[in-house]
Coordinates of all heavy atoms in Angstrom, one line a residue:
M186 N 111.1 -97.9 25.4 CA 110.3 -96.7 25.6 C 108.8 -97.2 25.5 O 108.5 -97.9 24.6 CB 110.6 -95.6 24.6 CG 109.7 -94.4 24.7 SD 110.2 -93.1 23.6 CE 111.2 -92.2 24.7
L187 N 108.0 -96.7 26.4 CA 106.6 -97.0 26.4 C 105.9 -96.2 25.3 O 106.2 -95.0 25.2 CB 106.0 -96.8 27.7 CG 106.5 -97.7 28.9 CD1 105.9 -97.2 30.2 CD2 106.1 -99.1 28.6
K188 N 104.9 -96.7 24.7 CA 104.1 -96.0 23.7 C 102.7 -95.8 24.3 O 102.2 -96.7 25.0 CB 104.0 -96.7 22.4 CG 105.2 -96.8 21.6 CD 104.9 -97.3 20.2 CE 106.2 -97.1 19.4 NZ 105.9 -97.4 18.0
A189 N 102.1 -94.6 24.1 CA 100.8 -94.3 24.6 C 99.8 -95.1 23.8 O 99.9 -95.4 22.6 CB 100.5 -92.8 24.4
R190 N 98.8 -95.6 24.5 CA 97.7 -96.4 23.8 C 96.7 -95.5 23.2 O 95.9 -95.9 22.3 CB 97.0 -97.3 24.8 CG 98.0 -98.3 25.3 CD 97.3 -99.2 26.3 NE 98.2 -100.1 26.9 CZ 97.9 -101.1 27.7 NH1 96.7 -101.3 28.0 NH2 98.8 -101.9 28.2
E191 N 96.6 -94.3 23.6 CA 95.7 -93.3 23.1 C 96.4 -92.0 22.7 O 97.5 -91.7 23.2 CB 94.6 -93.0 24.1 CG 93.8 -94.2 24.5 CD 92.8 -93.8 25.6 OE1 92.4 -92.7 25.7 OE2 92.4 -94.7 26.4
A192 N 95.8 -91.2 21.9 CA 96.4 -89.9 21.6 C 96.1 -88.9 22.7 O 95.0 -89.0 23.4 CB 95.8 -89.3 20.3
Y193 N 97.1 -88.1 23.0 CA 96.9 -87.1 24.1 C 97.2 -85.7 23.5 O 97.8 -85.5 22.5 CB 97.9 -87.3 25.2 CG 97.5 -88.6 26.0 CD1 98.1 -89.8 25.6 CD2 96.7 -88.5 27.1 CE1 97.8 -91.0 26.3 CE2 96.3 -89.7 27.8 CZ 96.9 -90.9 27.4 OH 96.6 -92.0 28.1
A194 N 96.6 -84.7 24.2 CA 96.9 -83.3 23.8 C 97.3 -82.5 25.0 O 96.9 -82.8 26.1 CB 95.6 -82.7 23.2
L195 N 98.1 -81.5 24.8 CA 98.5 -80.6 25.8 C 97.9 -79.3 25.6 O 97.9 -78.7 24.5 CB 100.1 -80.4 25.8 CG 100.6 -79.4 26.7 CD1 100.5 -79.8 28.2 CD2 102.1 -79.1 26.4
T196 N 97.2 -78.8 26.6 CA 96.7 -77.4 26.6 C 97.2 -76.6 27.7 O 97.5 -77.1 28.8 CB 95.1 -77.4 26.6 OG1 94.7 -78.0 27.9 CG2 94.5 -78.2 25.5
V197 N 97.4 -75.3 27.5 CA 97.9 -74.4 28.5 C 96.9 -73.3 28.7 O 96.4 -72.7 27.8 CB 99.3 -73.8 28.1 CG1 99.7 -72.8 29.1 CG2 100.3 -74.9 27.9
D198 N 96.5 -73.1 30.0 CA 95.6 -72.0 30.3 C 96.3 -71.1 31.3 O 96.8 -71.6 32.3 CB 94.3 -72.7 31.0 CG 93.2 -71.7 31.2 OD1 93.2 -70.6 30.6 OD2 92.3 -72.0 32.0
A199 N 96.4 -69.8 31.0 CA 97.1 -68.9 31.8 C 96.3 -67.7 32.1 O 95.5 -67.2 31.2 CB 98.4 -68.4 31.1
W200 N 96.3 -67.2 33.3 CA 95.6 -66.0 33.7 C 96.3 -65.3 34.8 O 97.3 -65.8 35.4 CB 94.2 -66.3 34.1 CG 94.0 -67.2 35.3 CD1 93.9 -66.7 36.6 CD2 94.1 -68.6 35.4 NE1 93.8 -67.8 37.4 CE2 93.9 -69.0 36.7 CE3 94.2 -69.6 34.4 CZ2 93.9 -70.3 37.2 CZ3 94.2 -70.9 34.9 CH2 94.0 -71.3 36.2
T201 N 95.9 -64.2 35.2 CA 96.5 -63.4 36.3 C 95.5 -63.4 37.5 O 94.3 -63.5 37.4 CB 96.8 -62.0 35.9 OG1 95.6 -61.3 35.6 CG2 97.8 -61.9 34.7
I202 N 96.1 -63.2 38.7 CA 95.3 -63.0 39.9 C 95.8 -61.6 40.5 O 97.0 -61.4 40.7 CB 95.6 -64.1 40.9 CG1 95.1 -65.4 40.3 CG2 94.9 -63.8 42.2 CD1 95.4 -66.6 41.1
G203 N 94.9 -60.7 40.7 CA 95.2 -59.4 41.3 C 95.6 -58.4 40.2 O 95.4 -58.6 39.0
E204 N 96.3 -57.4 40.7 CA 96.7 -56.3 39.8 C 97.8 -56.7 38.9 O 98.7 -57.5 39.3 CB 97.1 -55.0 40.7 CG 96.0 -54.4 41.5 CD 94.9 -53.8 40.6 OE1 95.3 -53.1 39.6 OE2 93.7 -54.0 40.9
T205 N 97.9 -56.1 37.7 CA 99.0 -56.3 36.8 C 99.5 -55.0 36.4 O 98.9 -53.9 36.4 CB 98.5 -57.1 35.6 OG1 97.5 -56.3 34.9 CG2 97.9 -58.4 36.0
R206 N 100.8 -55.0 35.9 CA 101.4 -53.7 35.4 C 101.0 -53.4 34.0 O 101.1 -52.2 33.6 CB 102.9 -53.9 35.5 CG 103.5 -53.8 36.9 CD 105.0 -53.8 36.9 NE 105.4 -55.2 36.8 CZ 106.7 -55.5 36.6 NH1 107.6 -54.6 36.4 NH2 107.0 -56.8 36.6
V207 N 100.5 -54.4 33.3 CA 100.1 -54.1 31.9 C 98.6 -54.6 31.8 O 98.1 -55.4 32.6 CB 100.9 -54.9 30.9 CG1 102.3 -54.3 30.9 CG2 100.9 -56.3 31.1
H208 N 97.9 -54.0 30.8 CA 96.5 -54.3 30.6 C 96.2 -54.5 29.2 O 97.0 -54.2 28.3 CB 95.6 -53.2 31.2 CG 95.9 -52.9 32.7 ND1 96.9 -52.2 33.2 CD2 95.2 -53.4 33.8 CE1 96.9 -52.2 34.5 NE2 95.9 -52.9 34.9
G209 N 95.0 -54.9 28.9 CA 94.5 -55.0 27.5 C 95.3 -55.9 26.6 O 95.7 -57.0 27.0
K210 N 95.5 -55.4 25.4 CA 96.3 -56.2 24.4 C 97.7 -56.6 24.9 O 98.1 -57.7 24.6 CB 96.4 -55.4 23.1 CG 97.1 -56.2 22.0 CD 97.2 -55.4 20.7 CE 98.1 -56.2 19.7 NZ 98.5 -55.4 18.6
E211 N 98.3 -55.7 25.6 CA 99.7 -56.0 26.1 C 99.7 -57.2 27.1 O 100.5 -58.1 27.0 CB 100.3 -54.8 26.7 CG 101.8 -55.0 27.1 CD 102.4 -53.7 27.6 OE1 101.7 -52.7 27.7 OE2 103.6 -53.8 28.0
L212 N 98.7 -57.2 27.9 CA 98.5 -58.3 28.9 C 98.2 -59.6 28.2 O 98.8 -60.6 28.5 CB 97.5 -58.0 30.0 CG 97.2 -59.1 31.0 CD1 98.4 -59.4 31.8 CD2 96.1 -58.6 31.9
R213 N 97.3 -59.5 27.2 CA 97.0 -60.8 26.5 C 98.2 -61.3 25.8 O 98.4 -62.5 25.7 CB 95.9 -60.5 25.5 CG 94.5 -60.3 26.1 CD 93.4 -60.2 25.1 NE 93.5 -59.1 24.2 CZ 93.1 -57.9 24.4 NH1 92.5 -57.6 25.5 NH2 93.2 -56.9 23.5
Q214 N 99.1 -60.4 25.2 CA 100.3 -60.9 24.6 C 101.2 -61.5 25.6 O 101.8 -62.6 25.3 CB 100.9 -59.8 23.8 CG 102.1 -60.2 23.0 CD 101.7 -61.1 21.8 OE1 100.9 -60.7 21.0 NE2 102.1 -62.4 21.8
V215 N 101.4 -60.9 26.7 CA 102.3 -61.5 27.8 C 101.8 -62.9 28.2 O 102.6 -63.8 28.3 CB 102.4 -60.6 29.0 CG1 103.0 -61.2 30.2 CG2 103.1 -59.3 28.6
L216 N 100.5 -63.0 28.4 CA 99.9 -64.3 28.8 C 100.1 -65.4 27.6 O 100.4 -66.5 27.9 CB 98.5 -64.2 29.2 CG 98.2 -63.5 30.5 CD1 96.7 -63.2 30.7 CD2 98.8 -64.2 31.6
A217 N 99.9 -64.9 26.4 CA 100.1 -65.8 25.3 C 101.5 -66.3 25.1 O 101.8 -67.4 24.9 CB 99.6 -65.1 24.0
D218 N 102.5 -65.3 25.3 CA 103.9 -65.7 25.3 C 104.2 -66.7 26.4 O 104.9 -67.7 26.1 CB 104.7 -64.4 25.5 CG 104.7 -63.5 24.3 OD1 104.2 -63.9 23.2 OD2 105.2 -62.3 24.5
F219 N 103.7 -66.5 27.6 CA 104.0 -67.4 28.7 C 103.4 -68.8 28.4 O 104.1 -69.8 28.5 CB 103.4 -66.9 30.0 CG 103.4 -67.8 31.1 CD1 104.6 -68.0 31.8 CD2 102.3 -68.6 31.5 CE1 104.7 -68.9 32.9 CE2 102.4 -69.5 32.5 CZ 103.6 -69.7 33.2
A220 N 102.2 -68.9 27.9 CA 101.6 -70.2 27.6 C 102.3 -70.9 26.5 O 102.5 -72.1 26.5 CB 100.1 -69.9 27.3
Y221 N 102.7 -70.1 25.5 CA 103.4 -70.7 24.3 C 104.7 -71.3 24.7 O 105.1 -72.4 24.4 CB 103.6 -69.6 23.3 CG 104.3 -70.1 22.0 CD1 103.6 -70.6 21.0 CD2 105.7 -69.9 21.9 CE1 104.2 -71.0 19.8 CE2 106.3 -70.4 20.7 CZ 105.5 -70.9 19.7 OH 106.2 -71.3 18.5
Q222 N 105.5 -70.5 25.6 CA 106.8 -71.0 26.0 C 106.6 -72.2 26.9 O 107.4 -73.2 26.9 CB 107.6 -69.9 26.7 CG 108.0 -68.8 25.8 CD 108.7 -67.7 26.5 OE1 109.1 -67.8 27.7 NE2 108.8 -66.6 25.8
L223 N 105.6 -72.3 27.8 CA 105.3 -73.4 28.6 C 105.0 -74.6 27.8 O 105.5 -75.7 28.1 CB 104.2 -73.1 29.6 CG 103.8 -74.2 30.6 CD1 105.0 -74.5 31.5 CD2 102.6 -73.7 31.4
A224 N 104.2 -74.5 26.8 CA 103.8 -75.6 25.9 C 105.1 -76.1 25.2 O 105.3 -77.4 25.1 CB 102.8 -75.2 24.9
R225 N 105.9 -75.2 24.6 CA 107.1 -75.6 23.9 C 108.0 -76.4 24.8 O 108.6 -77.4 24.5 CB 107.8 -74.4 23.3 CG 109.0 -74.7 22.5 CD 109.6 -73.6 21.7 NE 109.8 -72.4 22.6 CZ 110.0 -71.2 22.1 NH1 110.1 -71.0 20.8 NH2 110.2 -70.2 22.8
H226 N 108.2 -75.9 26.0 CA 109.1 -76.5 27.0 C 108.6 -77.9 27.4 O 109.4 -78.8 27.5 CB 109.3 -75.6 28.2 CG 110.1 -76.3 29.3 ND1 111.5 -76.5 29.3 CD2 109.7 -76.9 30.5 CE1 111.9 -77.1 30.3 NE2 110.8 -77.4 31.1
T227 N 107.3 -78.0 27.6 CA 106.7 -79.3 28.0 C 106.9 -80.3 27.0 O 107.3 -81.5 27.3 CB 105.3 -79.1 28.4 OG1 105.2 -78.1 29.5 CG2 104.7 -80.4 28.9
Y228 N 106.6 -80.0 25.7 CA 106.8 -80.9 24.6 C 108.3 -81.4 24.6 O 108.5 -82.6 24.4 CB 106.4 -80.3 23.3 CG 105.0 -80.5 22.9 CD1 104.0 -79.6 23.2 CD2 104.6 -81.7 22.3 CE1 102.7 -79.8 22.8 CE2 103.3 -82.0 21.9 CZ 102.4 -81.0 22.2 OH 101.1 -81.2 21.9
Q229 N 109.2 -80.5 24.8 CA 110.6 -80.9 24.8 C 111.0 -81.8 26.0 O 111.7 -82.8 25.9 CB 111.5 -79.7 24.7 CG 111.4 -79.0 23.4 CD 112.1 -77.6 23.4 OE1 112.6 -77.2 24.4 NE2 112.2 -77.0 22.2
A230 N 110.5 -81.4 27.2 CA 110.8 -82.1 28.4 C 110.3 -83.5 28.5 O 111.0 -84.4 29.0 CB 110.3 -81.3 29.6
V231 N 109.1 -83.7 27.9 CA 108.6 -85.1 28.0 C 108.9 -85.9 26.7 O 108.5 -87.0 26.6 CB 107.1 -85.1 28.3 CG1 106.7 -84.5 29.6 CG2 106.3 -84.4 27.1
D232 N 109.7 -85.3 25.8 CA 110.2 -86.0 24.6 C 109.0 -86.6 23.9 O 109.0 -87.8 23.6 CB 111.2 -87.0 25.0 CG 112.0 -87.5 23.8 OD1 112.1 -86.7 22.8 OD2 112.5 -88.6 23.8
C233 N 108.0 -85.8 23.6 CA 106.8 -86.3 22.8 C 107.3 -86.9 21.5 O 108.1 -86.3 20.7 CB 105.9 -85.1 22.5 SG 105.0 -84.5 24.0
Q234 N 106.8 -88.1 21.2 CA 107.1 -88.7 20.0 C 106.5 -88.0 18.8 O 107.1 -88.0 17.7 CB 106.7 -90.2 20.0 CG 107.6 -91.0 21.0 CD 107.3 -92.5 20.9 OE1 106.6 -92.9 20.0 NE2 108.0 -93.2 21.8
E235 N 105.3 -87.5 18.9 CA 104.7 -86.7 17.9 C 104.9 -85.3 18.2 O 104.0 -84.5 18.3 CB 103.2 -87.1 17.8 CG 103.0 -88.5 17.3 CD 101.5 -88.8 17.2 OE1 100.7 -87.8 17.1 OE2 101.1 -89.9 17.1
S236 N 106.2 -84.9 18.2 CA 106.5 -83.5 18.7 C 106.0 -82.5 17.6 O 105.9 -82.8 16.4 CB 108.0 -83.3 18.9 OG 108.7 -83.5 17.7
R237 N 105.7 -81.4 18.1 CA 105.3 -80.2 17.3 C 106.5 -79.4 16.9 O 107.5 -79.4 17.6 CB 104.3 -79.4 18.0 CG 103.1 -80.1 18.6 CD 102.2 -80.5 17.4 NE 101.0 -81.2 17.9 CZ 100.7 -82.4 17.5 NH1 101.4 -83.1 16.7 NH2 99.6 -83.0 18.0
T238 N 106.4 -78.8 15.8 CA 107.5 -77.9 15.4 C 107.1 -76.5 15.8 O 106.1 -75.9 15.3 CB 107.7 -77.9 13.8 OG1 108.1 -79.2 13.5 CG2 108.8 -77.0 13.4
F239 N 107.8 -75.9 16.8 CA 107.4 -74.6 17.2 C 108.4 -73.6 16.6 O 109.6 -73.8 16.5 CB 107.7 -74.5 18.8 CG 106.6 -75.3 19.6 CD1 106.9 -76.6 20.0 CD2 105.4 -74.7 19.9 CE1 106.0 -77.3 20.7 CE2 104.5 -75.4 20.6 CZ 104.7 -76.7 21.0
P240 N 107.8 -72.5 16.0 CA 108.6 -71.5 15.4 C 109.5 -70.8 16.5 O 109.2 -70.8 17.6 CB 107.6 -70.5 14.9 CG 106.3 -71.0 15.0 CD 106.4 -72.2 15.9
K241 N 110.7 -70.4 16.0 CA 111.6 -69.7 17.0 C 111.0 -68.4 17.5 O 111.2 -68.1 18.7 CB 112.9 -69.4 16.3 CG 113.7 -70.7 16.0 CD 115.0 -70.4 15.4 CE 115.7 -71.7 15.1 NZ 117.1 -71.6 14.7
E242 N 110.3 -67.7 16.7 CA 109.6 -66.4 17.1 C 108.3 -66.7 17.7 O 107.5 -67.5 17.2 CB 109.4 -65.5 15.9 CG 110.7 -65.0 15.3 CD 111.5 -64.1 16.2 OE1 110.9 -63.3 16.9 OE2 112.7 -64.2 16.2
L243 N 108.0 -66.1 18.9 CA 106.7 -66.2 19.5 C 105.6 -65.6 18.6 O 105.9 -64.5 18.0 CB 106.7 -65.6 20.9 CG 107.6 -66.2 21.9 CD1 107.6 -65.4 23.2 CD2 107.2 -67.6 22.2
P244 N 104.5 -66.2 18.5 CA 103.4 -65.6 17.7 C 102.9 -64.3 18.2 O 102.9 -64.1 19.5 CB 102.3 -66.7 17.7 CG 102.6 -67.5 18.9 CD 104.1 -67.4 19.2
R245 N 102.5 -63.4 17.4 CA 101.9 -62.1 17.8 C 100.4 -62.2 17.6 O 99.9 -62.7 16.6 CB 102.5 -61.0 16.9 CG 104.0 -60.8 17.0 CD 104.5 -60.3 18.4 NE 104.9 -61.5 19.2 CZ 105.1 -61.5 20.5 NH1 104.9 -60.4 21.2 NH2 105.4 -62.6 21.1
L246 N 99.7 -61.6 18.6 CA 98.3 -61.6 18.4 C 97.9 -60.5 17.4 O 98.6 -59.5 17.3 CB 97.7 -61.2 19.8 CG 97.9 -62.2 20.9 CD1 97.3 -61.7 22.2 CD2 97.2 -63.5 20.6
P247 N 96.8 -60.7 16.6 CA 96.4 -59.7 15.7 C 95.9 -58.5 16.4 O 95.4 -58.6 17.5 CB 95.3 -60.4 14.9 CG 94.8 -61.5 15.8 CD 96.0 -61.9 16.6
A248 N 96.0 -57.3 15.7 CA 95.5 -56.1 16.3 C 93.9 -56.2 16.4 O 93.3 -56.7 15.5 CB 95.8 -54.9 15.4
A249 N 93.4 -55.7 17.5 CA 92.0 -55.8 17.7 C 91.2 -54.8 17.0 O 91.6 -53.8 16.6 CB 91.7 -55.7 19.2

């Protein structure tokens, strides 16, 4: 197995284009859930050696 010579980070940026069925806090939560699941899946798919421990429950955004 090859080892990375440098440290890397994974970031996920999610947004919508056009009209959405939800808005405001609910839309922010949906986008956060999507980004979180994408990050968790990517860490597992590429078998990161310094894997992160992702909680089973998706994080909830604080009330505004």
Side-chain angles (χ1 to χ4, degrees):
M186 175 173 269
L187 296 174
K188 288 191 172 189
R190 294 181 186 186
E191 299 177 28
Y193 291 90
L195 171 69
T196 60
V197 176
D198 189 15
W200 66 92
T201 63
I202 298 173
E204 294 293 318
T205 60
R206 287 187 273 169
V207 296
H208 300 85
K210 182 182 175 192
E211 187 177 0
L212 177 59
R213 287 190 299 275
Q214 187 65 61
V215 169
L216 290 173
D218 290 349
F219 172 78
Y221 182 86
Q222 290 177 17
L223 181 60
R225 181 170 54 192
H226 173 76
T227 302
Y228 268 95
Q229 292 171 350
V231 298
D232 195 25
C233 289
Q234 291 189 5
E235 293 183 16
S236 64
R237 304 290 181 236
T238 302
F239 289 94
K241 290 183 182 186
E242 295 291 323
L243 295 175
R245 300 292 95 195
L246 296 175

